[in-house]
Amino acid sequence: MITRRQLLAGTAAGLGVAALPSTATAEPKTTGRPRPNIVLVLADDLGYGELGAYGQRTIATPRLDRLAAEGLRFTDAYSAAAVCAPSRSALLTGLHAGHGAVRNNPGGDPDSIAFSDGDTTFAEVLRARGYHTGLFGKWGFGPERGDQPSHPNARGFDEFLGYLTHGHAHDYYPSYLWRNGERFELPENAGSDKTTFAPDLFHDRALDFIRTHRSEPFLLVVTPNLPHAPSDVPSQEPYADEDWPSADRGHAAQVTRIDTYVGELVDELAAQGLLGSTVVLVTSDNGPHEEGGFDPDRFDANGPLTGYKRNLYEGGVRIPLIAWAPGRIRPGVTDRLTQQTDLLPTLADLAGVPGPRDIDGRSFSSLLEPRPTAAPAQPYLYFWRLDNGNTRRAREIDAGRLQRAAEAVREGNWKAIRWAPGKDRTVPDEQWQVELYDLARDLGETTDLAATHPEVANRLVGLLRQSWIDEVTRESYGVELDTPDLLLPGVTYELTATLANGSAAAWTGARLVLSAPRGWTVEPATSRGLGRLSPGARVSTTWRVRVPGETTAKEWPLTVSGYAVARDAPLTFRAERRFTPPPPPATDSYLSDLPWLTAVNGWGPVELDTSNGKQAAGDGPPISLGGTAYDKGLGVHSHSEVTYHLGGRVARFTSVVGIDDFSARQSSRGNTIAEVWADDQLVHTSGVLRASTGPEPVDVDVREARLLRLVVRAADSGNGFNHTSWGRRLRPAGLTSHLGGSALAPERCRRRRAAGVDVGRRSADPLLCGSAVGSGAAGGQPSRVTVPLSRRTLAA
């Protein structure tokens, strides 16, 4: 929740939680070789046994099989989870699901699996070393908004085309995608039309990315949603004539299509002369699925392993991993225990940049050299599963425990899996069911040894217990920009940026630079710690920034760049925030026609579309209060806060507020209290609003206020029928502005004030001045008139 003081002053408070211990190696290795380009292809639900190099005999994957023969094939590579969201989070951040920001699939709520500003990805690490970064395909984290910390652009990717949310990626023929921070419409796929196959778009964009950035180091991440269900594909060739169900033919064609994509990427690297300077990695996010009618057993999709997607048995979490770079990576096979958490430190080593040290992964970059040397692995691998999916084969493998909380650990050849009695992982150890397997002798996990080796089982349970931290505070790495959630015209703010060395290597030459829009005034206020940064140290700079009072800009970008040198390699970190200048009301307006700045528990235009204000007027629904119908209304459930920008240009706010008739018909027990805030001043408090007593009028002076905040809170506990609406008649006006030709220019206002004319209170002259922002107020804050509450308002 954003408080009124945060809106006005931009303050924020942090919450201290348990710190994650450092586990990474101390220094990235130096080989003297040029830093390579990186191409990472991440398939979706591709099973361990679905490639020819891993034993597949029915589905054709000739290009991938060749890469495996010419490169390094990992036999003991793992995801960090048995479903995609926590697995992909671990791949990006180097943290397994016991420590990571994303631990489960979203369950229909994209916000539940979102990254924050502190969740450093390998793209942020490589971009600091000068890599141009791009991701094309499935992202799957956070809400469908462009300017937010869980967006790929905010997490280190310069270019993005694909699906933002997890659920959207289940549609192979979407009516839109996201291109960077904007929706990219595909009208040819509207309705049931299937014209543009999204994975083909991702592939074409990846090829173009290679051509465009061939002369600079680049990181290319391609994440097609193949071969995830449904088995949708433009052509089922070369399996169209097979006597299989359509879902199986389509799935096989999807796998072969991935093979074709990878082959064409390699061909493009060759055409651009980049084969000798590029490392190609191909992997999957979890075991094979069994959805949409697909039968994974037809193709032995999990190979010799037991389990499918959602199982913590080997078939659900062991995945293919191929590393290929001709002339660099020696062909061979490795059984190193490798989890996708190892990718971040590996890519950092390849790029020659010290990455974050508070991660679970360990680099295997020494295996990717012409003369490979041993790459120490993590002491054990941790896996977590809590998912609502309930597919038949996975349910049978889990013996009816598929929807329980479960976790697993592999230490050497020992593997332990345990299931809670339900979804609560905090129950005592004795309530969990534990199984133990020796993978060296029993790869198919057929013989449970927990009873015969209790000492091993108990030791591994201890590892499981210590692998989970409820809330993790990451050690800061790179640049952070501390700004308000909202910037208002004509106000001076103090903005602070921090450059933090969360790596294990010392940095030198640390400095920070802020870039603001043209016309803004930026003055350094304080700076500390510039120069050398030891591991774990931070440097910060504060600027005093004044936003112009008038602007025609549609967007305000703020960018901070942090510079340092690590092991003679320059590092450049950057963080960007984009603000939309909030327009004040230009005419008398309904609440439902005004753009809101923030909204909590709003209904009507707030709930129907979070882009309210970008739509045409007229999107507010009619409401009824006390038997009187109002043309439009803004409905809320307590606790609710909706904030609007007035910009000092509004005279009065008049309304009626109460338990609306819709809620009253359901129950007469509803009771709420409504408040009106003008900036940080409480200017109206209602009595207890009840369905039986009807609505109350609101009529308050809000002149010179920049923000209008409407609050509705429950009058007592246990109130479930609290639907409250703000409504108004056509007259008097709910929001009265005097703008355009009848508004006083700022200079005329100053002259009237200098002459002693009271322009802050209602008078016979209907012309009002706006806020005197910066005119003698400390820190550029506007002067405000506190209007006493009238006796009638208090009685209401």
Side-chain angles (χ1 to χ4, degrees):
M1 179 183 73
I2 300 171
T3 68
R4 61 183 179 277
R5 294 196 179 275
Q6 286 173 322
L7 284 168
L8 290 166
T11 61
L15 179 65
V17 290
L20 181 67
S22 300
T23 58
T25 53
E27 286 273 358
K29 295 180 173 57
T30 306
T31 64
R33 298 176 61 86
R35 49 187 168 148
N37 305 310
I38 308 293
V39 175
L40 170 63
V41 179
L42 176 64
D44 198 349
D45 292 358
L46 179 72
Y48 183 85
E50 293 197 82
L51 303 181
Y54 287 86
Q56 180 58 223
R57 294 294 175 263
T58 304
I59 302 174
T61 56
R63 300 302 299 268
L64 286 168
D65 298 344
R66 180 176 175 181
L67 294 190
E70 297 175 350
L72 184 63
R73 180 170 64 89
F74 290 72
T75 61
D76 290 55
Y78 289 89
S79 64
V83 291
C84 71
S87 167
R88 290 164 182 256
S89 172
L91 177 145
L92 287 162
T93 65
L95 293 170
H96 62 57
H99 296 153
V102 177
R103 308 188 184 205
N104 307 308
N105 272 350
D109 178 14
D111 287 350
S112 68
I113 57 164
F115 290 131
S116 66
D117 282 326
D119 294 316
T120 302
T121 70
F122 58 65
E124 294 175 86
V125 175
L126 267 64
R127 190 171 68 175
R129 187 64 178 90
Y131 277 70
H132 193 86
T133 57
L135 185 146
F136 309 113
K138 176 179 176 178
W139 176 245
F141 302 104
E144 287 212 300
R145 296 198 310 274
D147 186 17
Q148 41 93 8
S150 193
H151 191 281
N153 292 156
R155 298 274 56 83
F157 289 99
D158 298 310
E159 300 181 30
F160 169 69
L161 174 67
Y163 308 94
L164 277 184
T165 66
H166 174 92
H168 191 202
H170 297 167
D171 185 0
Y172 282 107
Y173 294 91
S175 60
Y176 69 93
L177 293 167
W178 283 81
R179 182 168 54 193
N180 295 324
E182 301 293 333
R183 274 177 56 134
F184 175 58
E185 300 296 331
L186 298 172
E188 65 273 23
N189 286 347
S192 59
D193 292 342
K194 293 185 175 183
T195 301
T196 298
F197 187 60
D200 285 352
L201 286 181
F202 308 146
H203 179 57
D204 291 344
R205 185 66 193 87
L207 294 173
D208 183 66
F209 184 89
I210 292 172
R211 300 181 195 111
T212 303
H213 302 290
R214 62 185 180 274
S215 60
E216 60 183 322
F218 62 77
L219 165 69
L220 168 61
V221 181
V222 189
T223 59
N225 39 338
L226 298 168
H228 193 287
S231 298
D232 241 342
V233 68
S235 170
Q236 293 186 345
E237 293 297 338
Y239 312 102
D241 296 331
E242 296 289 346
D243 187 20
W244 307 334
S246 179
D248 292 355
R249 295 195 303 269
H251 181 92
Q254 288 178 326
V255 174
T256 297
R257 200 176 195 87
I258 295 173
D259 183 80
T260 301
Y261 288 160
V262 173
E264 292 179 355
L265 287 172
V266 170
D267 293 344
E268 189 61 46
L269 291 171
Q272 300 302 327
L274 299 175
L275 287 185
S277 58
T278 304
V279 171
V280 177
L281 300 162
V282 182
T283 189
S284 179
D285 58 357
N286 49 249
H289 75 79
E290 49 172 318
E291 298 157 337
F294 169 60
D295 178 6
D297 297 335
R298 177 182 299 277
F299 305 105
D300 202 16
N302 49 10
L305 311 175
T306 295
Y308 308 87
K309 175 182 177 180
R310 297 188 180 87
N311 295 130
L312 290 184
Y313 293 102
E314 291 290 286
V317 292
R318 196 183 291 210
I319 52 175
L321 173 61
I322 300 168
W324 178 85
R328 179 186 186 110
I329 297 177
R330 178 183 293 182
V333 178
T334 178
D335 62 357
R336 175 188 186 268
L337 292 189
T338 302
Q339 196 175 52
Q340 288 182 337
T341 51
D342 295 339
L343 280 174
L344 187 151
T346 300
L347 299 186
D349 275 3
L350 293 175
V353 54
R357 62 181 179 174
D358 64 336
I359 59 174
D360 296 303
R362 300 288 179 90
S363 173
F364 57 85
S365 63
S366 62
L367 299 178
L368 310 183
E369 299 293 339
R371 296 181 179 178
T373 57
Q378 300 178 49
Y380 62 89
L381 305 182
Y382 174 80
F383 310 89
W384 163 256
R385 193 279 315 280
L386 180 60
D387 190 71
N388 290 325
N390 198 10
T391 47
R392 179 181 64 83
R393 293 174 180 83
R395 184 174 62 250
E396 292 173 353
I397 291 294
D398 250 17
R401 300 169 292 185
L402 187 63
Q403 293 186 303
R404 299 186 194 178
E407 53 186 358
V409 59
R410 178 171 176 181
E411 182 192 47
N413 288 318
W414 288 111
K415 167 89 171 285
I417 312 173
R418 70 172 185 166
W419 292 261
K423 297 181 182 297
D424 182 6
R425 70 165 311 279
T426 65
V427 298
D429 289 343
E430 58 268 20
Q431 295 185 25
W432 293 69
Q433 295 176 331
V434 181
E435 295 178 2
L436 178 68
Y437 299 97
D438 181 357
L439 297 179
R441 296 178 174 84
D442 182 19
L443 185 59
E445 296 168 289
T446 61
T447 304
D448 177 12
L449 302 177
T452 57
H453 292 78
E455 74 289 351
V456 176
N458 290 337
R459 186 181 78 250
L460 296 188
V461 166
L463 295 178
L464 290 169
R465 191 186 308 114
Q466 74 181 37
S467 295
W468 183 279
I469 297 177
D470 287 335
E471 293 183 73
V472 174
T473 295
R474 296 293 308 276
E475 187 172 13
S476 296
Y477 177 91
V479 161
E480 299 173 358
L481 178 59
D482 183 14
T483 69
D485 296 283
L486 169 71
L487 298 182
L488 297 176
V491 180
T492 298
Y493 297 89
E494 285 195 347
L495 309 182
T496 299
T498 301
L499 176 62
N501 178 5
S503 77
W507 298 356
T508 59
R511 62 191 178 94
L512 289 154
V513 176
L514 178 69
S515 175
R518 184 186 300 273
W520 291 35
T521 302
V522 179
E523 299 175 350
T526 62
S527 185
R528 60 182 179 84
L530 295 177
R532 188 178 189 276
L533 280 179
S534 302
R538 302 159 62 92
V539 57
S540 63
T541 298
T542 299
W543 298 269
R544 188 172 291 110
V545 177
R546 180 171 175 77
V547 183
E550 301 291 338
T551 181
T552 59
K554 295 182 179 180
E555 189 175 58
W556 291 335
L558 281 175
T559 303
V560 62
S561 299
Y563 302 95
V565 175
R567 295 168 44 254
D568 298 325
L571 303 179
T572 302
F573 298 92
R574 69 176 185 269
E576 184 178 69
R577 290 287 307 275
R578 291 183 176 272
F579 299 87
T580 301
T587 61
D588 292 357
S589 303
Y590 292 99
L591 289 175
S592 58
D593 292 340
L594 292 175
W596 46 266
L597 299 178
T598 62
V600 176
N601 281 342
W603 178 73
V606 178
E607 184 179 61
L608 290 176
D609 192 335
T610 56
S611 67
N612 179 48
K614 298 179 181 179
Q615 299 188 60
D619 54 343
I623 61 166
S624 177
L625 289 160
T628 301
Y630 296 88
D631 293 347
K632 298 183 182 182
L634 177 73
V636 298
H637 282 285
S638 66
H639 174 73
S640 169
E641 298 186 23
V642 183
T643 305
Y644 298 92
H645 179 236
L646 303 186
R649 301 190 181 187
V650 174
R652 305 192 70 78
F653 169 57
T654 63
S655 181
V656 290
V657 62
I659 304 290
D660 57 54
D661 295 345
F662 168 79
S663 188
R665 285 192 295 270
Q666 300 179 65
S667 173
S668 61
R669 289 183 290 157
N671 51 83
T672 56
I673 295 174
E675 299 174 347
V676 179
W677 293 78
D679 290 339
D680 57 357
Q681 299 294 320
L682 176 63
V683 295
H684 177 88
T685 302
S686 75
V688 176
L689 302 172
R690 303 182 187 277
S692 59
T693 56
E696 293 188 5
V698 178
D699 186 1
V700 292
D701 192 323
V702 293
R703 279 172 287 189
E704 299 201 0
R706 289 177 287 126
L707 298 177
L708 174 70
R709 188 164 66 101
L710 307 179
V711 177
V712 172
R713 53 189 175 86
D716 62 24
S717 60
N719 174 22
F721 300 91
N722 55 33
H723 197 269
T724 304
S725 288
W726 301 84
R728 74 174 196 109
R729 296 179 174 86
L730 291 175
R731 292 181 179 82
L735 286 165
T736 305
S737 300
H738 299 280
L739 303 178
S742 63
L744 290 178
E747 180 59 34
R748 185 180 173 193
C749 286
R750 285 192 289 271
R751 290 199 303 269
R752 286 169 61 86
R753 285 194 176 93
V757 177
D758 183 1
V759 297
R761 304 179 66 87
R762 180 176 286 280
S763 65
D765 188 343
L767 304 181
L768 302 175
C769 291
S771 297
V773 178
S775 58
Q781 293 297 315
S783 59
R784 284 191 294 272
V785 176
T786 301
V787 182
L789 298 179
S790 69
R791 188 177 299 272
R792 180 184 63 78
T793 303
L794 287 172

